[in-house]
Each structure stands twice: as structure tokens, then as C-alpha cells.
Amino acid sequence: MNDSPLGFYVHVPFCTVKCSYCDFNSYAGIEDMQAEWLAAALVEAKLWAPRLMGRRVSTIFIGGGTPSLLSGDSVSRLLDEIRRRIDIDQDAEITLEANPESVEPERLNAYREAGVNRISMGVQSLDASELVFLDRIHSAARAEWAFETIRSAGFDNVNLDLIYGLPCQSLETWQSTVERVLGWNGHGPDHLSCYALTVEEGTPLAARVTAGRVIEADPDLVADIADWTSERLMRAGFEQYETSNYARDGLRCEHNLIYWRNQEYAAIGPGAHGFVDGARYQVVRSPRVYIDRLRPDHELGQVPEGLPSPAIVGAERPSERENLIDTLTSGLRLMEGVDESSLPDTYDEFRPTLDWAVDSGLARRADGRLSLTRRGHAVANEIFVRLLEVAPA
Ligand code: SF4
């Protein structure tokens, strides 16, 4: 029996508008598919149940998209079905992603009654011009109201997502956003994810950058913002446990820790990626095709790697070496680093590169673990590129 923790991810593809920088599998204008999406997700959860027998699920993450567009009844039916068929820990972390404009008191109460115990809200910025640049449709006042409403509904584990490194952003506007959210409701959030903006290929933002209509932020300013953020949040009582993530009172995101520790997770919903029994798989991206493939009368047909959902369109079993690279490149994002003694023999191929990182002051070894130093985190992507360039023995 495999007793390592398993995560369970549900992808909700609906958004009110599509933000210019976003390459997630989310769509505006398809709200009328919500009932069919729910019916399909319930079928997909049921198909996964036999495959997950004997596995202990310690986290559920309802992500998107904008899951806070779902009714309380939809979330309740979804979680009831998952719990009825799959062994979910009594004290599992159950996160639902929200956006300020769709937060509603009644829905929040219903989510809590359904078992959601963590809310992750995409605030991104409190500066009006930055919100316009990002195509976000909430105001700073609405975001603060939404946070207070989430607290009033009894959620004591709340994350806020913020984005820095915007072309129109200064250190001062970023500092103002951070200081304001830290003061919300007297205590601020329990967790903060502060991500640097990345220009993703194929997005409207990438087209604007290519056309010269948007100039990317100065990398020195981005580095200054990252340094200030880390120092300020630690002073406010947060622990930085991952390159971009900060937690108070031990409230780390257990679901994301599963990803960063390269552990396994089942995933359902259009465009979701999962990792179960050593196989990585993807679910079809199109919500319409997803719904059609999960109709009860759909032929199961040939699903890659013998996986249980007819909505899965691709799967592969990474080699030990590929898996090790994933363990290193995700685990070294964590301040705890990786346990070198648990790594397979192929790790020897990567030792010279990591010895170089230690000798250069970019990584350190302590108590059998290898982790990046503060300087190492600042140039983590360069270290990861060197790891990917290591030729197979
Ligand atoms: S709200 Fe989030 S998921 Fe939806 S389009 Fe914007 S960034 Fe993407």
C-alpha cells in the first residue's frame, strides 16, 4: 500500500473576464456550462474512486479559473461526492480559489458548511492602474470587503495572491499594496503568495510585449521588490517557506507542498494535470469536449496508461532520471530543500553541479539536506538550467 499523502485537484474553467496575462485553462462567457461541468466532474470523481482505493487523500484544491463563481450547492455536491467515494482525511486541507468580485456571504457560508476550510483569493494589486493593466475587474475597496467577508464567514486560513514586476509598478506602489493587505481586518492574511509576473507565450500580454507596446519591468527593480518583500513579511511574522510563498502560524499550503515535494495528486476537470502511480497525465482542455467525454453513455475506449477517465488525453511515465530532475527543481524552491539520502543513484550525475552551487554560496548542506541560500533563490532558474543541461551518464 502506498501511504504517502495524495492531493486531489479539481479544475473549474469559468472566469468572468479573461485577464491579459493569464495562460490558465479558463474561459469567459461559458457560465451556461456550469451544470454540465459539475455533472461531468461528478462522473470523473466516481471513475477515479476504485483507482485511489487504499490511498489517503490529505488535501483537496478547487482551483481555476474562478471557483468562487460556483454556487454553494455545486461545491457541496462536488465535495460530498468526492468524500463519499474517496478516502479523504478527516482534517484534510480543502482550499477553494476566489476572486474578489465573486465573493458573496451566502456562498461563503455554504462553502464552509460543505467542508472548505481554506480560501485563496486573487487580489494581485490594490493600485488602480495596475489592476487595469492586469484586466482585473475588482477595486481595492471590493478586495478589502471580500477579505472581511471571508473572515466573517469564519475562515481562519486565508491566502492572498499578489503580483509584482508589472511594467507600470514602482517599489512604492508594491509596498503600499503589501502594507495595506497586512493591515486588513487588523491581522491581514495567514498566507501570501507573491509571484513575479511572467509573460506567458500566446497571451495578449505577450503580443503587446512583442509589438513593443509594453516594456517589461527592470530586472533590478524586480529583484529589489523580491528582497524587500521577503524582509518585510518576515518582520510581520511570516515564514518564507518557498521562493514565492509565506505562511503565518504554520499555515503553509499543504496542497502545494505536495507539488513541490514531487509527491502524487489526482486531478479532474478540463485541462487538469495529475500524477498518480508514477504516471503524469493531462485531461482534455476544452470544457465542451470534457463534458462530452464524461457523458454516461460515452465509450471508455483506450485511455493512456490504463487511467480511469475518458477525458484523459495524454499520459507518460517519467523515467527515474526525469523524476529526479522534477524532485530537484521543485524541491529546491522550498527553504527545507531536498533530503539527499532519499535520492536515487542517478543523483550522482547532478552532484558536481550542486557542489558548484554550494562552493559558490548559492546552496548549502545541513543535516543531510541540500537547500538554496538566499542568493541561490534569487538565481534559482539559472541553477535549474544547469541541472537540465547535465548530460545523462
Ligand atoms: S481571474 Fe485568474 S484564472 Fe481567471 S483569467 Fe484572470 S488570472 Fe486567469
Side-chain angles (χ1 to χ4, degrees):
M1 170 166 157
N2 187 340
D3 62 357
S4 56
L6 185 78
F8 194 91
Y9 177 78
V10 182
H11 190 77
V12 180
F14 311 106
C15 279
T16 309
V17 298
K18 184 74 185 174
C19 306
S20 60
Y21 62 96
C22 176
D23 75 337
F24 295 146
N25 192 42
S26 64
Y27 306 84
I30 59 164
E31 303 78 10
D32 56 350
M33 283 190 201
Q34 277 196 27
E36 289 177 293
W37 166 86
L38 178 63
L42 296 179
V43 170
E44 205 181 17
K46 181 175 155 192
L47 290 171
W48 267 102
R51 186 61 180 256
L52 301 181
M53 283 265 274
R55 299 289 305 258
R56 189 175 58 83
V57 174
S58 60
T59 64
I60 300 175
F61 197 101
I62 305 173
T66 307
S68 53
L69 288 170
L70 298 177
S71 68
D73 182 57
S74 296
V75 171
S76 173
R77 286 181 58 199
L78 178 69
L79 289 176
D80 282 352
E81 183 71 357
I82 293 171
R83 269 189 299 251
R84 193 157 71 86
R85 300 192 177 270
I86 298 169
D87 184 13
I88 309 293
D89 277 355
Q90 281 290 333
D91 59 351
E93 173 192 272
I94 304 181
T95 302
L96 180 136
E97 286 190 321
N99 278 320
E101 66 280 0
S102 53
V103 161
E104 280 182 9
E106 275 171 30
R107 270 194 223 158
L108 285 170
N109 290 333
Y111 297 160
R112 231 173 87 75
E113 273 171 31
V116 174
N117 53 26
R118 182 173 185 271
I119 297 284
S120 176
M121 183 163 71
V123 170
Q124 317 311 356
S125 172
L126 297 182
D127 179 272
S129 59
E130 291 172 13
L131 288 169
V132 168
F133 172 82
L134 292 168
D135 293 326
R136 303 300 298 213
I137 53 174
H138 61 265
S139 63
R142 173 73 190 197
E144 183 171 6
W145 174 86
F147 181 76
E148 285 169 0
T149 306
I150 290 166
R151 283 286 194 228
S152 303
F155 288 96
D156 54 10
N157 190 353
V158 182
N159 169 62
L160 302 179
D161 285 343
L162 301 177
I163 298 187
Y164 63 90
L166 311 181
C168 51
Q169 189 175 50
S170 66
L171 179 60
E172 288 71 30
T173 58
W174 170 255
Q175 288 172 330
S176 166
T177 291
V178 172
E179 295 296 351
R180 286 164 73 188
V181 301
L182 288 177
W184 278 359
N185 221 27
H187 179 73
D190 311 288
H191 190 285
L192 275 163
S193 297
C194 301
Y195 286 103
L197 178 72
T198 45
V199 179
E200 303 290 353
E201 236 177 88
T203 59
L205 176 61
R208 284 185 223 158
V209 170
T210 307
R213 285 192 284 127
V214 167
I215 311 285
E216 289 189 72
D218 172 5
D220 289 339
L221 172 61
V222 175
D224 286 349
I225 289 179
D227 282 349
W228 178 85
T229 306
S230 170
E231 185 276 323
R232 177 66 185 98
L233 294 184
M234 285 200 267
R235 203 152 35 83
F238 287 81
E239 168 208 17
Q240 182 175 13
Y241 69 101
E242 194 266 350
T243 306
S244 309
N245 284 273
Y246 301 82
R248 249 184 190 148
D249 306 325
L251 292 172
R252 300 170 173 196
C253 178
E254 297 296 331
H255 186 82
N256 285 342
L257 280 169
I258 286 176
Y259 298 151
W260 293 318
R261 289 175 179 154
N262 202 20
Q263 293 167 332
E264 295 197 330
Y265 49 96
I268 65 171
H273 291 248
F275 181 29
V276 174
D277 293 340
R280 291 195 180 273
Y281 67 87
Q282 306 97 53
V283 180
V284 65
R285 285 175 67 86
S286 157
R288 173 46 58 204
V289 177
Y290 173 77
I291 288 164
D292 288 343
R293 286 194 179 206
L294 285 156
R295 290 193 196 288
D297 55 355
H298 186 89
E299 294 281 320
L300 187 59
Q302 192 70 31
V303 179
E305 292 286 342
L307 292 167
S309 164
I312 291 173
V313 287
E316 58 179 18
R317 200 164 283 276
S319 66
E320 183 184 279
R321 190 175 191 278
E322 287 166 335
N323 206 28
L324 172 60
I325 291 174
D326 289 340
T327 299
L328 291 172
T329 52
S330 52
L332 288 174
R333 293 182 59 88
L334 290 168
M335 301 302 151
E336 69 183 24
V338 293
D339 174 3
E340 289 190 290
S341 68
S342 70
L343 301 176
D345 292 346
T346 39
Y347 180 51
D348 286 342
E349 293 172 34
F350 299 94
R351 274 187 195 277
T353 304
L354 292 166
D355 289 345
W356 158 83
V358 171
D359 294 342
S360 313
L362 302 175
R364 68 168 84 80
R365 289 192 166 94
D367 304 325
R369 300 191 76 88
L370 177 82
S371 57
L372 298 187
T373 59
R374 203 176 162 80
R375 270 184 58 217
H377 276 280
V379 293
N381 286 342
E382 287 160 48
I383 299 171
F384 298 157
V385 167
R386 284 193 184 223
L387 286 173
L388 293 170
E389 285 170 353
V390 171

